[in-house]
Amino acid sequence: MSLPIRPGRSPASRASVSTLETQIPDSKFQITNPPPLSPSPVLDLAALAAWARPGTSLAVLGHPIRHSISPPMHNAALAGLAGGDPRFADWEYFRFDIPPTDLPRALELLHARRFRGVNLTVPHKVLAFDRVAHIDDAARPVGAVNTLRWHADGWEGFNTDGYGLATAIRETFGRELAGADVILLGAGGAARGAAVECLQRGCASLAVANRTAANLEALLRDLAPLAAASRCRGFSPAEPPRDLPAGALVINATSAGLRDSDPLPVDLGALPRPAAVYDMIYNPPQTRLLAAAAALGLPAANGLDMLVHQGARALEIWSGVPAARTAPAMAAAARAALGRQ
Ligand code: NDP
């Protein structure tokens, strides 16, 4: 099956912000090796309502949130920064379990309590999109935000997932999304961000596969303003078209692989031989798709580096510290945290 793309609704428009408009100038601090961190408690709306911490606070909101390794990742980077620059001595990152119905109130409270920045994870990325006062140009076509920055008028919204993906693919495979043929698996929030990033960076072609045809069609409709139909198409993962390009970058943005019992999101053997396979799933670190890629002798990697780079970019938006400086400390902390789970 091959689906055409049609023009569709574009996500809400509102004031733009530039991605790296920062209030704290870059500095020459050293990233030191911080001591091991104690686990961050899981907080709730009541804790937010009673918030009286005087320092600079950051947070991730999700539901559930217990599994998130963002607090150790960010706090390791912040502890390293604080070792070389006293401005970061009172910065700390917290996690809150916030059900979707409580998200509007939580965002109001976080703003009133002057949290400098917020990350959003499942299921809040799309829900929060309509609750930001300003939206970054790159996040607008995604229709979802994973990073908010405090501003006197309200939240500024960004999406750093695409940057995380592009950076991970460059570092892991030595390849750019620009000029690449991409086969993207999935049509949910992560796939939406990946598709927009691929098209905005100038991929040569994008073929998107998804289990549920209606969800695929909806995504393709939203992508239509970004790409000519010749550059972007959809297909059923059960019936990959014969004319898909060889040497493509296969990116799994489905959640198939989170459980051992999950089916493969696509049969790699049914595709023209890809160049490499990137699975956004990082926990478990080895999925059936990655095992299938290894069996075919294909370069393959899980999503941990994407997680690290989206986090480092979020911290850059809040702090002004270039993502490349904090990513190594975040990567070490993320690996250690996963090792403890
Ligand atoms: P969504 O729930 O929005 O989308 C889920 C997608 O997976 C849909 O396309 C869905 O297809 C598909 N899917 C689910 N189960 C199956 C299955 N059994 N077989 C085939 N397809 C299936 O989730 P997200 O887009 O937010 O996240 C997707 C994955 O990406 C998750 O594993 C998440 O952990 C990972 N991720 C990793 C990040 C990182 O930094 N490494 C960042 C963001 C996400 P259908 O439409 O048919 O339901």
Side-chain angles (χ1 to χ4, degrees):
M1 179 186 66
S2 189
L3 299 172
I5 60 174
R6 293 191 292 269
R9 120 193 117 74
S10 62
S13 62
R14 61 206 66 184
S16 295
V17 290
S18 84
T19 303
L20 294 176
E21 171 202 313
T22 53
Q23 292 160 16
I24 292 185
D26 189 10
S27 65
K28 302 272 183 280
F29 33 61
Q30 301 289 314
I31 306 262
T32 58
N33 284 329
L37 300 160
S38 52
S40 165
V42 175
L43 303 171
D44 60 10
L45 195 67
L48 190 51
W51 198 258
R53 181 176 183 268
T56 299
S57 300
L58 305 165
V60 58
L61 312 187
H63 185 69
I65 198 64
R66 185 166 292 281
H67 66 283
S68 172
I69 59 170
S70 290
M73 229 169 66
H74 280 274
N75 284 327
L78 291 170
L81 292 176
D85 188 328
R87 286 176 301 173
F88 293 100
D90 69 355
W91 287 50
E92 191 170 348
Y93 187 103
F94 301 88
R95 59 179 163 174
F96 288 86
D97 192 323
I98 302 291
T101 47
D102 287 341
L103 181 67
R105 179 71 183 135
L107 291 178
E108 277 174 24
L109 285 170
L110 287 158
H111 195 265
R113 307 286 183 266
R114 288 187 168 248
F115 275 63
R116 183 170 185 82
V118 177
N119 277 144
L120 300 154
T121 185
V122 176
H124 298 316
K125 292 183 189 183
V126 173
L127 298 171
F129 184 81
D130 288 328
R131 302 205 157 266
V132 297
H134 308 276
I135 189 84
D136 176 49
D137 283 343
R140 192 188 304 279
V142 182
V145 285
N146 75 336
T147 300
L148 306 180
R149 181 171 64 189
W150 192 93
H151 184 278
D153 298 341
W155 292 111
E156 298 172 327
F158 303 83
N159 196 316
T160 67
D161 281 340
Y163 166 86
L165 175 68
T167 308
I169 282 175
R170 179 185 307 124
E171 288 190 352
T172 310
F173 302 132
R175 291 182 58 122
E176 297 295 331
L177 293 177
D181 291 308
V182 178
I183 296 176
L184 177 64
L185 311 175
R192 180 173 288 268
V196 168
E197 192 73 19
C198 289
L199 293 172
Q200 286 182 333
R201 286 185 184 245
C203 66
S205 70
L206 177 66
V208 189
N210 194 54
R211 178 182 62 174
T212 305
N215 295 342
L216 176 58
E217 284 183 67
L219 172 58
L220 294 173
R221 269 198 302 278
D222 287 349
L223 294 177
L226 297 180
S230 57
R231 200 156 68 95
C232 181
R233 63 172 165 168
F235 70 93
S236 161
E239 296 173 61
R242 290 175 188 277
D243 62 346
L244 287 172
L249 196 52
V250 175
I251 300 173
N252 179 36
T254 77
S255 39
L258 287 174
R259 288 172 298 267
D260 287 347
S261 56
D262 284 345
L264 278 167
V266 77
D267 174 7
L268 291 174
L271 305 177
R273 188 173 175 79
V277 177
Y278 193 80
D279 195 335
M280 286 194 194
I281 294 173
Y282 57 86
N283 193 12
Q286 177 74 350
T287 60
R288 286 184 66 198
L289 183 70
L290 292 177
L296 291 170
L298 299 172
N302 70 26
L304 190 60
D305 286 341
M306 174 179 171
L307 180 83
V308 166
H309 290 299
Q310 65 75 31
R313 180 65 146 197
L315 187 54
E316 177 174 356
I317 288 168
W318 301 324
S319 68
V321 178
R325 289 216 195 148
T326 53
M330 286 194 174
R335 287 187 170 83
L338 282 178
R340 284 194 297 271
Q341 282 186 358

